[in-house]
Amino acid sequence: LESMEVEGESGGGMVKVTMNGKKQVISVSVNQEILSEDKEMLEDLILVATNQALDKVDTISKDKLGSLTGGMSIPGLF
């Protein structure tokens, strides 16, 4: 999972956050055009992109671990 990379984006791709499978942010990309917008909007777009990346990591992790455990539900794992 550590080598896995996922990307979350918001604002039609104006803000992108890349994260690895350990939920560590690898990079944040902000399109130059959006920098002229207000600070709160930019913060919201970064937040949305980060949460989207986190959701993708969780989904992929559950799928991969589910295939390893044969679909068994292990209490407390997720």
Side-chain angles (χ1 to χ4, degrees), residues 15-18 25-30 46 49-50:
V15 174
K16 296 179 181 180
V17 173
T18 305
V25 175
I26 298 169
S27 69
V28 176
S29 172
V30 178
I46 293 170
T50 301

Side-chain angles (χ1 to χ4, degrees), residues 10-43:
S10 62
M14 299 292 271
V15 174
K16 296 179 181 180
V17 173
T18 305
M19 185 174 290
N20 68 16
K22 292 180 74 175
K23 299 181 182 180
Q24 297 169 325
V25 175
I26 298 169
S27 69
V28 176
S29 172
V30 178
N31 188 300
Q32 185 70 31
E33 295 173 30
I34 199 133
L35 292 176
S36 62
E37 300 296 329
D38 69 51
K39 179 180 178 280
E40 290 174 2
M41 185 176 107
L42 180 56
E43 290 170 344

Side-chain angles (χ1 to χ4, degrees), residues 1-6 18-26 53-54 56-58 60-61:
L1 292 176
E2 187 174 340
S3 64
M4 173 182 68
E5 287 187 11
V6 298
T18 305
M19 185 174 290
N20 68 16
K22 292 180 74 175
K23 299 181 182 180
Q24 297 169 325
V25 175
I26 298 169
L54 282 167
K56 286 182 180 180
V57 170
D58 286 343
I60 293 169
S61 296

